[in-house]
DNA sequence: CCAGTAAATTAGAATCGTTCTAAAATATTG
DNA sequence: CAATATTTTAGAACGATTCTAATTTACTGG
């Protein structure tokens, strides 16, 4: 799926999710979906919007990220206890997390196999299996 | 294991980590290590201490959790972006996370196999592979 | 179009988990 | 015990996030 297609799909899904296509949401959707997969925090996206001369408040960025996530356009990735990270790649995949940089990097889902998972606790069902491979820089 | 023995073990662990065995640390170590493996947050441990009539500040609980972690007595588990969770089980293992309850449950490491991990990004090495199986309650 | 209504945006306050500060208390060493 | 280093602590500060309530914007039916 190319970028233009993804952006078109985002607008489509906004409508399907009954989210009004406001100036702010369109601009954020474009930043998020028009140039390949992204991992953003509320603050990085807000900074990016301001740099692109899109006037939008931080509160609206938070609102949009959560609405987009609820609509299935984004996925939240938990990497550290301090900030939320949002991923435009909603397909099944895992992440490298570079500790020094706080940077995420996708691992194609297909390459990783998880076997031998026991049954979930009684009365529950598996929603998602999150794999974070924490890596650190090495000298050399 | 009786009280006296537990005290001895707590002191031993703290000494090995070059941490002075203060009243607060001993009490927290006893709560953490004397009754099987635990998953705690700073706040749950603080509440527990107060309930056990151990006078200790929340700041000291945070300090202790971090010192214990640095000393290898605890491991930090990231489950959501809002709070830090500490695990007395420092062996290689994974977790079920019950979303409604915010509860962690151990998965024995031996049962799970992860294969097909690609090489880490250039200039980095793998520190740890975190697996969180997110489960939700189902009716029935 | 327009008016009426619902939804969204916003600045700023509030909240919450966590960390920091700096002063008092405690442990260790000699 | 004195001298020193470490620890504890209350409370302030912090940073990410959420909330509030007033304003603005989008939609709908006429
Ligand atoms: Mn959230
Ligand atoms: Mn926080
Ligand atoms: Zn990703
Ligand atoms: Zn565990």
């Amino acid at each position: 799926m190319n970028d233009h297609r993804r952006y078109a799909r985002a607008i489509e899904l906004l409508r399907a999710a009954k989210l009004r296509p406001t100036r702010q949401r369109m601009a954020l959707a474009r930043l998020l979906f028009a140039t390949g997969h992204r991992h953003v925090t509320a603050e990085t996206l807000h900074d990016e919007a301001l740099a692109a001369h899109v006037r939008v408040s931080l509160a609206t960025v938070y609102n949009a990220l959560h609405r987009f996530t609820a609509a299935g356009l984004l996925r939240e990735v938990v990497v550290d206890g301090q900030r939320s990270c949002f991923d435009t790649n909603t397909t099944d995949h895992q992440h490298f997390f570079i500790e020094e940089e706080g940077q995420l990097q996708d691992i194609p889902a297909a390459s990783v196999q998880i076997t031998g998972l026991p049954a979930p606790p009684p009365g529950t069902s598996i929603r998602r299996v999150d794999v974070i491979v924490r890596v650190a820089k090495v000298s050399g």
Side-chain angles (χ1 to χ4, degrees), chain A residues 4-16 29-30 33 68 73:
Chain A
H4 183 268
R5 181 84 187 75
R6 250 197 312 273
Y7 178 60
R9 174 172 157 271
I11 304 303
E12 227 170 78
L13 286 173
L14 282 188
R15 272 218 205 85
R30 192 130 51 107
F33 304 112
F68 288 8
L73 295 172

Side-chain angles (χ1 to χ4, degrees), chain A residues 92-140:
Chain A
D92 184 29
H93 69 285
Q94 296 85 34
H95 294 97
F96 285 120
F97 179 65
I98 303 166
E99 292 179 343
E100 289 86 354
E101 301 173 355
Q103 276 293 113
L104 281 173
Q105 191 173 312
D106 280 355
I107 300 175
S111 62
V112 178
Q113 291 281 343
I114 302 169
T115 56
L117 269 188
T124 70
S125 71
I126 294 177
R127 273 290 164 74
R128 199 166 88 182
V129 179
D130 284 346
V131 176
I132 311 261
V133 181
R134 291 171 195 278
V135 304
K137 290 193 168 175
V138 290
S139 51

Side-chain angles (χ1 to χ4, degrees), chain A residues 52-70:
Chain A
H53 301 97
V54 174
R55 280 182 40 254
V56 59
S57 73
L58 185 56
T60 296
V61 174
Y62 274 106
N63 287 341
L65 287 172
H66 286 134
R67 305 301 217 97
F68 288 8
T69 302

